[in-house]
């Protein structure tokens, strides 16, 4: 019996093994939910800028105005991202949009593409908080409010991103979920359901977009202090954190930014937790 010729193994050159200090130079990243300097979106945008990317920051200050932590100065937020730019040719821009509007994802992606010519990386970091409760307390309006922002808009952003992607190397989509697949989130039925849907749909979206040379992954950032965790809330968590500390926004930002690079080109359809061993 004749044997088929073996498939050759490819190895990178020695030069190809070296890490590029600016792995996203010449690429453009769109990050949603970049509204506060204490937030994960801000940390992600800064990391991507430090990796050489142009960064288009979506923000929506009215949401934060309704939250206990309050709003930030959006101009100062964008200046903080600009401060991290590592490529002299790279720029930062942004747009305010309410992602509860079904047309907002199209407008946000279109604005980023118009500003920079194309978008290579989409990080759907935004989230609606508040207006939630235990199961006996929720109603259809509460569930729908979380669905349209936390799930629908993320999928529509991915759709618009993919429609504009020309198949070149570096296409990346990163969704953000929470730890609801790892344990209960008491009093957050609406949020947990909407964010959990993104984790569940990740393999299906990844399968569809692979033919366009786009990877799709979802990150669970774990317990991260973004200004909402009080001392009373943190103290019970400390025994469950093996490293003896809670997360900071740059902790998940490191993972998200790495997923945006070519080093992560063979990773898709995964839900990855960056939680410091929280559920061990």
């Amino acid at each position: 019996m004749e044997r088929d010729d073996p498939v050759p193994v490819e190895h990178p050159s020695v030069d190809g093994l070296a890490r590029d200090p600016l792995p996203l130079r010449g690429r453009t990243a769109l990050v949603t939910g970049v509204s506060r300097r204490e937030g994960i979106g801000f940390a992600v945008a800064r990391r991507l800028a430090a990796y050489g990317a142009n960064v288009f920051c979506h923000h929506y200050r009215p949401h934060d105005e309704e939250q206990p932590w309050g709003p930030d100065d959006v101009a100062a937020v964008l200046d903080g991202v600009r401060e991290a730019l590592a490529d002299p040719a790279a720029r930062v821009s942004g747009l305010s949009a309410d992602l509860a509007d079904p047309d907002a994802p199209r407008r946000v992606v279109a604005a980023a593409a118009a500003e920079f010519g194309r978008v290579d990386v989409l990080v759907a970091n935004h989230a609606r908080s508040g207006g939630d409760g235990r199961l006996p307390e929720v109603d259809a309006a509460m569930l729908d409010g979380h669905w349209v922002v936390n799930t629908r808009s993320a999928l529509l952003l991915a759709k618009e991103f993919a429609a504009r992607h020309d198949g070149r190397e570096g296409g990346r989509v990163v969704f953000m979920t929470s730890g609801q697949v790892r344990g209960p989130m008491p009093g957050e039925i609406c949020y947990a359901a909407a964010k959990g849907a993104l984790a569940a749909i990740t393999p299906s979206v990844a399968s569809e977009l692979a033919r366009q040379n786009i990877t799709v992954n979802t990150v669970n950032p774990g317990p991260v202090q973004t200004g909402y965790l009080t001392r009373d809330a943190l103290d019970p968590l400390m025994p469950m954190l093996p490293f003896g500390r809670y997360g900071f926004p740059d902790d998940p930002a490191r993972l998200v930014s790495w997923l945006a690079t070519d080093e992560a080109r063979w990773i898709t359809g995964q839900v990855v937790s960056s939680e410091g061993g929280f559920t061990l």
Side-chain angles (χ1 to χ4, degrees):
M1 179 182 296
E2 295 184 2
R3 297 179 61 185
D4 291 337
D5 291 335
V7 176
V9 176
E10 295 184 8
H11 293 288
S13 66
V14 173
D15 289 342
L17 293 173
R19 304 193 85 173
D20 186 342
L22 298 179
L24 296 178
R25 186 200 304 265
R27 297 182 185 177
T28 294
L30 163 58
V31 186
T32 61
V34 186
S35 299
R36 298 187 305 120
R37 283 167 286 184
E38 290 187 328
I40 293 174
F42 177 71
V44 169
R46 280 171 57 89
R47 276 273 164 190
L48 295 173
Y51 286 11
N54 296 304
V55 185
F56 191 90
C57 301
H58 156 269
H59 46 84
Y60 188 59
R61 193 172 188 271
H63 172 267
D64 295 316
E65 291 174 347
E66 298 176 354
Q67 304 305 318
W69 50 78
D72 201 349
D73 180 343
V74 173
V77 171
L78 297 182
D79 283 344
V81 179
R82 290 189 183 96
E83 181 183 61
L85 287 170
D87 180 358
R91 295 182 292 112
V92 171
S93 186
L95 176 72
S96 175
D98 181 0
L99 289 172
D101 177 352
D103 190 52
R106 181 197 61 78
R107 290 189 285 105
V108 170
V109 175
E115 180 73 26
F116 294 109
R118 71 176 199 263
V119 180
D120 302 282
V121 177
L122 165 66
V123 181
N125 164 78
H126 65 281
R128 171 182 170 169
S129 298
D132 212 332
R134 297 169 57 252
L135 186 60
E137 301 161 350
V138 305
D139 56 28
M142 294 164 65
L143 288 163
D144 290 348
H146 279 264
W147 161 259
V148 300
V149 176
N150 294 337
T151 313
R152 186 185 73 184
S153 67
L155 292 172
L156 289 176
L157 283 163
K159 173 187 174 181
E160 295 295 334
F161 168 82
R164 292 173 177 271
H165 188 70
D166 60 7
R168 73 182 69 200
E169 291 290 335
R172 302 285 184 269
V173 173
V174 181
F175 296 133
M176 301 293 286
T177 187
S178 293
Q180 57 278 101
V181 297
R182 320 258 300 176
M185 297 181 68
E188 296 186 87
I189 291 294
C190 302
Y191 179 86
K195 281 292 188 176
L198 289 179
I201 202 63
T202 298
S204 297
V205 179
S207 177
E208 288 197 5
L209 298 192
R211 68 196 70 178
Q212 292 179 248
N213 217 10
I214 299 171
T215 68
V216 181
N217 294 286
T218 295
V219 168
N220 162 33
V224 175
Q225 172 60 304
T226 59
Y228 78 100
L229 288 171
T230 64
R231 178 58 58 189
D232 287 344
L234 282 171
D235 285 345
L237 296 179
M238 296 308 291
M240 295 182 279
L241 294 165
F243 290 108
R245 70 169 177 87
Y246 47 83
F248 300 113
D250 191 57
D251 290 320
R254 290 168 183 262
L255 172 59
V256 172
S257 300
W258 178 75
L259 287 170
T261 71
D262 288 346
E263 290 191 353
R265 68 183 186 181
W266 200 236
I267 300 172
T268 196
Q270 304 303 304
V271 179
V272 188
S273 292
S274 171
E275 55 181 15
F278 177 56
T279 54
L280 291 178

